[in-house]
Amino acid sequence: MVLEGNPEVGSPRTSDLRHPGTQGSCVLSSPGEDAQPGEEPIKYGELIVLGYNGCLASGDKGRRRSRLVLSRRPHANGVKPDVMHHISTPLVSKALSNRGQHSISYTLSRSHSVIVEYTHDSDTDMFQIGRSTENMIDFVVTDTSPGGGAAEGPSAQSTISRYACRILCDRRPPYTARIYAAGFDASSNIFLGERAAKWRTPDGLMDGLTTNGVLVMHPAGGFSEDSAPGVWREISVCGNVYTLRDSRSAQQRGKLVENESNVLQDGSLIDLCGATLLWRTPAGLLKAPTLKQLEAQRQEANAARPQCPVGLSTLAFPSPARGRTAPDKQQPWVYVRCGHVHGYHGWGCRRERGPQERECPLCRLVGPYVPLWLGQEAGLCLDPGPPSHAFAPCGHVCSEKTARYWAQTPLPHGTHAFHAACPFCGAWLTGEHGCVRLIFQGPLD
């Protein structure tokens, strides 16, 4: 029981509460306490940012990267709820001045706040994600613009929170990972101001939502060949699951979804209102294609010597080492409405339909005509199938099952919109199916 109005007296220690976590530096490969010298660290999972196809445009550097491995830390840095105080606002700053004491502050009014203090949890590791470059953030994430790459320039106002969310991983098998909205700042605190959505739970505890929210979608059937998109939910500061608000920053929360949890599954999507992350488990990644397999598929496709059906030139997918710059002379191009693959040519333009609209010389369908690029982020692929389909209109190539899954998956956009997008570059998908089967012509000899 909490003693109301007494800033010095809190509730008994509440060991049955959910376990948010704490700050920590980026740990990509530090072995755990049980690891022997030379052994690989225990890996909890990997986070992959959609839209970068394996690497940031400026290169992966430190905590700012397109993919992060979450490994067991040398020493546990998790925290768990301990004591809850009801205090008057003038005493808030005093109560939160201890940087070594983690806490969440819920401002209910100008004269009343609730502060929940946290204590060390030796059974968990905590990883924090956000836009801030401060040391307590393990994974620095910036806004991704449709079409690939980070939004740049002073006019690009970020909608990602500086301390967006935190992931708590159990240090013992099965290494369960849980996600919570908001992260602890440099003072080891989380603040939910007067205008933030917050409420008292039926058991007398506090909970709340961040300004733009943290949304999670767990795929139905796991992240495999049989996957189907799940339902988007919102995760609270305490890790509870709610239906979506009317708009991203509405003050009225959704309904509690009691039969769902904040446990991350292989293929779970995490949206931070400006960037979407994919969670992959070690077991799930074992079923995904490797970079060597993707390269072997590229070489196999080129060894078939596909030809342009009009110019009769031999086509070839460029090496990923070249990066995505200007299209190569042998680059395959596709009419995304019909899937016919050609070499580059300058005819068939339909100016009245737009600069990219072309008429396919084989079937006369008019639509975008774009170069083909192989998807290079293996963790985004559901299976190691051959690169047979391309997303429309960007032209990124992957397996059929991968293409169809992402084309059916609505990703959050703005405050209340959803739109399917290419996972490799972030471009919004168009057309009836969002992807097209590629039709190559083999060599005439």
Side-chain angles (χ1 to χ4, degrees), residues 204-245:
L205 305 176
M206 295 297 300
D207 202 355
L209 305 173
T210 55
T211 301
N212 289 328
V214 174
L215 308 188
V216 171
M217 187 272 278
H218 304 304
F223 197 67
S224 65
E225 298 180 15
D226 301 320
S227 291
V231 179
W232 283 99
R233 304 297 194 193
E234 182 163 11
I235 302 297
S236 73
V237 171
C238 293
N240 293 308
V241 181
Y242 291 86
T243 59
L244 301 187
R245 290 178 269 181

Side-chain angles (χ1 to χ4, degrees), residues 331-361:
Q331 187 104 16
W333 287 63
V334 67
Y335 288 91
V336 296
R337 283 197 63 195
C338 59
H340 286 117
V341 179
H342 293 68
Y344 179 76
H345 52 253
W347 62 77
C349 295
R350 290 292 180 268
R351 300 296 182 188
E352 71 279 6
R353 298 279 294 273
Q356 282 191 312
E357 299 289 304
R358 301 283 189 94
E359 181 182 271
C360 175

Side-chain angles (χ1 to χ4, degrees), residues 232-445:
W232 283 99
R233 304 297 194 193
E234 182 163 11
I235 302 297
S236 73
V237 171
C238 293
N240 293 308
V241 181
Y242 291 86
T243 59
L244 301 187
R245 290 178 269 181
D246 291 338
S247 66
R248 198 68 187 246
S249 58
Q251 289 192 325
Q252 182 63 41
R253 71 178 188 271
K255 296 181 180 179
L256 177 67
V257 185
E258 296 183 357
N259 62 339
E260 296 182 19
S261 76
N262 62 337
V263 174
L264 295 176
Q265 307 167 15
D266 187 42
S268 292
L269 289 171
I270 304 167
D271 188 81
L272 305 179
C273 195
T276 305
L277 286 62
L278 173 69
W279 172 258
R280 297 304 312 268
T281 63
L285 287 171
L286 290 176
K287 302 175 185 177
T290 64
L291 290 177
K292 287 184 178 180
Q293 286 176 316
L294 293 180
E295 175 60 16
Q297 289 178 347
R298 184 187 74 87
Q299 294 181 9
E300 183 178 350
N302 290 346
R305 295 174 58 215
Q307 288 192 338
C308 173
V310 177
L312 302 182
S313 58
T314 300
L315 308 177
F317 286 102
S319 166
R322 281 187 61 243
R324 181 170 177 171
T325 54
D328 178 285
K329 287 183 179 181
Q330 290 185 291
Q331 187 104 16
W333 287 63
V334 67
Y335 288 91
V336 296
R337 283 197 63 195
C338 59
H340 286 117
V341 179
H342 293 68
Y344 179 76
H345 52 253
W347 62 77
C349 295
R350 290 292 180 268
R351 300 296 182 188
E352 71 279 6
R353 298 279 294 273
Q356 282 191 312
E357 299 289 304
R358 301 283 189 94
E359 181 182 271
C360 175
L362 297 185
C363 66
R364 301 298 183 184
L365 280 176
V366 176
Y369 177 60
V370 297
L372 292 175
W373 304 92
L374 289 172
Q376 292 298 322
E377 178 49 82
L380 300 177
C381 300
L382 275 76
D383 67 329
S388 60
H389 284 62
F391 289 107
C394 61
H396 276 102
V397 180
C398 59
S399 71
E400 178 180 6
K401 291 184 181 297
T402 297
R404 294 197 184 282
Y405 174 79
W406 288 108
Q408 296 170 6
T409 302
L411 299 178
H413 169 68
T415 57
H416 55 268
F418 290 80
H419 207 294
C422 170
F424 300 108
C425 71
W428 294 356
L429 301 185
T430 59
E432 182 180 356
H433 303 292
C435 61
V436 63
R437 183 175 67 88
L438 299 175
I439 304 173
F440 288 92
Q441 176 173 298
L444 298 179
D445 55 358

Side-chain angles (χ1 to χ4, degrees), residues 87 91-99 101-105 115-117 187-191:
I87 64 176
L91 296 176
V92 170
S93 59
K94 179 181 178 181
L96 301 180
S97 61
N98 182 3
R99 288 174 177 259
Q101 176 69 62
H102 289 79
S103 63
I104 299 181
S105 172
I115 295 180
V116 180
E117 295 181 354
S187 299
S188 302
N189 300 310
I190 293 173
F191 295 92

Side-chain angles (χ1 to χ4, degrees), residues 142-198:
T142 54
D143 296 71
T144 304
S145 59
E152 298 179 352
S155 61
Q157 184 68 33
S158 178
T159 50
I160 299 176
S161 171
R162 289 183 299 161
Y163 317 106
C165 69
R166 57 201 194 277
I167 294 177
L168 177 73
C169 300
D170 290 343
R171 291 173 61 83
R172 295 182 176 86
Y175 307 115
T176 302
R178 298 178 176 86
I179 184 167
Y180 302 81
F184 293 97
D185 62 16
S187 299
S188 302
N189 300 310
I190 293 173
F191 295 92
L192 292 182
E194 204 170 338
R195 291 183 295 177
K198 70 187 85 65

